[in-house]
C-alpha cells in the first residue's frame, strides 16, 4: 500500500513538473508570434479539443455524460475562455513577464475567493500578502496610466488570474464528473466561445508563426493543460498555487534570453515581492 502511495505521489510530481515546464514557454510564444490573441486562442482550442477527443478514452467505472453535467462544464469552459482572452491580450499589450506576473495573483485571488465562498476569513498574513503584491505590481509597471501598455497589460493579467483561480475550485466542486469529460468540456465550451470571434481572426501568417501556434496548441495546451487539470484536481489549492509560482522565474528567464526583454532591478524586485506575498499567505493556510 505504501509503495503504491509513493508511486502515486511521484506520478503527480512528474505531471506537475512537465506541465509547468511546458506552460513556462507559453507567454513567450504568444509574444513571439504575430498572430493576434483570437487567432491564437481559436487555433489552440481547435487542435487541443480534437486531440483530447481522440486520445482521452473513457476508463472503467466512468459515469456517462448526463444533463446534470452540462451546466458545470459550460461554466468551466466560459471561465477558461475569459482567462485566455484576457491573458493573451495582456501579453500582447505588455510583455510575457508582465503577463505571467499579473496572472500570478492567482494565489491572492484564491485566498479571498475562499473567504467569499467558504467563509474562510483572511488573517494578517493574507493582508500582508495583498500589500506586498500591490507594491510589487507598482514596481513592475513603470508608470500607472491607461495610456501605458504595461498598466493595461497587468490589469488584464490580474483579471485573468482571477478567472484562473476559479477553475481549480470548480474542478474540485464538480469532481463527480469524470476527469476526461471535465478536460474535454473545458476546451470544447471555450472553443465555442472563441468561434464567435472568427471575423476578428487573421490567418495571414508566416512559417515561424505556424510553428509557434503548433507549440502553443500541442505541448502548451493539449499536454500541459490536461496534466494541470489532473494535478489541481488531486492536490489542494494551496499546494497547486505554490508550485504555480515556479512559472514566474522560468518565464522571465526565457523572455530575457530569447525575446531580449529588459529586466531592470525594480521589475525583478517587484516579481520577488509578488511571490513572497503569496508564499506568506500560503504559510498561514498551511499552519491552519
Amino acid at each position: 500500500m505504501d509503495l503504491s502511495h509513493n508511486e502515486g505521489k511521484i506520478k503527480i510530481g512528474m505531471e506537475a513538473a512537465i506541465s509547468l515546464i511546458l506552460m513556462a514557454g507559453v507567454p513567450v510564444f504568444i509574444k513571439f508570434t504575430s498572430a493576434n490573441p483570437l487567432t491564437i486562442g481559436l487555433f489552440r482550442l481547435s487542435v487541443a479539443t480534437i486531440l483530447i477527443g481522440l486520445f482521452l478514452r473513457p476508463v472503467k467505472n466512468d459515469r456517462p455524460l448526463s444533463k446534470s453535467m452540462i451546466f458545470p462544464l459550460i461554466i468551466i469552459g466560459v471561465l477558461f475562455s475569459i482567462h485566455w482572452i484576457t491573458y493573451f491580450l495582456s501579453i500582447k499589450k505588455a510583455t510575457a513577464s508582465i503577463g505571467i506576473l499579473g496572472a500570478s495573483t492567482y494565489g491572492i485571488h484564491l485566498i479571498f475567493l475562499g473567504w467569499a465562498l467558504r467563509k474562510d476569513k483572511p488573517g494578517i498574513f493574507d493582508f500582508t500578502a495583498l500589500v506586498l503584491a500591490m507594491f510589487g505590481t507598482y514596481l513592475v509597471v513603470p508608470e500607472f496610466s491607461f495610456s501605458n501598455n504595461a498598466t493595461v497589460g497587468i490589469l488584464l493579467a490580474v483579471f485573468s488570474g482571477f478567472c484562473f483561480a476559479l477553475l481549480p475550485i470548480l474542478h474540485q466542486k464538480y469532481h463527480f464528473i469524470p476527469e476526461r469529460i471535465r478536460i474535454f468540456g473545458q476546451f470544447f465550451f471555450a472553443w465555442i466561445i472563441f468561434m464567435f470571434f472568427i471575423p476578428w481572426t487573421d490567418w495571414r501568417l508566416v512559417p515561424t508563426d505556424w510553428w509557434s501556434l503548433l507549440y502553443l496548441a500541442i505541448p502548451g495546451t493539449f499536454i500541459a493543460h490536461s496534466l494541470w487539470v489532473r494535478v489541481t484536481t488531486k492536490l489542494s489549492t494551496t499546494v497547486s498555487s505554490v508550485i504555480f509560482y515556479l512559472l514566474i522565474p522560468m518565464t522571465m528567464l526565457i523572455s530575457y534570453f530569447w525575446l531580449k526583454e529588459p529586466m531592470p532591478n525594480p521589475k525583478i524586485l517587484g516579481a520577488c515581492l509578488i511571490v513572497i506575498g503569496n508564499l506568506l499567505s500560503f504559510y498561514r493556510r498551511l499552519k491552519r
Side-chain angles (χ1 to χ4, degrees):
M1 182 68 74
D2 289 341
L3 181 61
S4 176
H5 181 65
N6 287 335
E7 287 175 350
K9 289 196 293 185
I10 292 169
K11 184 180 178 183
I12 288 293
M14 290 178 64
E15 289 175 346
I18 293 167
S19 179
L20 287 171
I21 290 167
L22 294 177
M23 284 196 289
V26 167
V28 178
F29 276 100
I30 290 171
K31 186 68 178 179
F32 178 72
T33 178
S34 62
N36 68 37
L38 298 173
T39 306
I40 294 169
L42 186 57
F43 184 85
R44 290 179 74 183
L45 287 168
S46 298
V47 173
T49 303
I50 292 168
L51 290 175
I52 289 167
L54 290 173
F55 291 102
L56 286 188
R57 303 295 184 186
V59 296
K60 190 178 179 181
N61 300 324
D62 259 4
R63 293 177 61 183
L65 182 66
S66 63
K67 289 182 180 179
S68 64
M69 298 178 185
I70 300 297
F71 183 70
L73 293 175
I74 291 173
I75 295 297
I76 289 171
V78 170
L79 266 175
F80 187 64
S81 68
I82 297 170
H83 156 61
W84 262 21
I85 291 170
T86 50
Y87 185 45
F88 298 172
L89 284 171
S90 75
I91 292 168
K92 289 293 190 182
K93 278 282 185 184
T95 63
S97 60
I98 281 181
I100 194 66
L101 284 168
S104 74
T105 54
Y106 160 84
I108 299 286
H109 294 307
L110 270 178
I111 297 163
F112 293 95
L113 283 170
W115 186 13
L117 301 176
R118 299 173 182 169
K119 310 303 180 185
D120 183 12
K121 189 175 180 181
I124 186 65
F125 280 109
D126 300 321
F127 288 106
T128 304
L130 183 61
V131 171
L132 286 174
M134 290 175 67
F135 185 60
T137 303
Y138 169 78
L139 292 175
V140 166
V141 179
E143 180 188 357
F144 271 93
S145 167
F146 285 106
S147 61
N148 182 330
N149 284 340
T151 302
V152 175
I154 202 159
L155 290 176
L156 286 166
V158 168
F159 181 71
S160 175
F162 171 75
C163 296
F164 194 49
L166 284 167
L167 287 172
I169 293 172
L170 291 174
H171 277 290
Q172 291 188 4
K173 180 178 180 180
Y174 299 118
H175 67 275
F176 65 88
I177 302 174
E179 184 180 89
R180 66 182 181 85
I181 295 178
R182 277 186 284 113
I183 294 171
F184 181 80
Q186 174 172 301
F187 287 100
F188 177 72
F189 287 108
W191 174 78
I192 290 176
I193 297 297
F194 270 85
M195 287 293 286
F196 286 102
F197 297 103
I198 285 180
W200 293 275
T201 59
D202 184 359
W203 303 99
R204 294 168 296 179
L205 305 173
V206 299
T208 52
D209 294 325
W210 287 110
W211 284 113
S212 298
L213 289 177
L214 282 172
Y215 176 87
L216 291 168
I218 300 174
T221 306
F222 169 60
I223 299 174
H225 278 277
S226 297
L227 289 175
W228 189 247
V229 169
R230 288 170 57 85
V231 168
T232 54
T233 301
K234 293 176 182 177
L235 297 179
S236 71
T237 53
T238 300
V239 175
S240 61
S241 300
V242 169
I243 63 175
F244 180 79
Y245 286 96
L246 293 172
L247 280 176
I248 293 175
M250 292 163 71
T251 299
M252 290 181 75
L253 280 171
I254 298 169
S255 298
Y256 177 74
F257 286 108
W258 187 12
L259 299 180
K260 308 301 180 186
E261 185 181 322
M263 293 291 168
N265 289 334
K267 189 173 186 176
I268 295 171
L269 177 59
C272 292
L273 288 176
I274 291 171
V275 175
I276 291 168
N278 280 277
L279 291 177
L280 271 177
S281 67
F282 293 134
Y283 174 72
R284 196 274 299 186
R285 290 164 70 190
L286 286 170
K287 282 185 69 178
R288 292 185 61 184

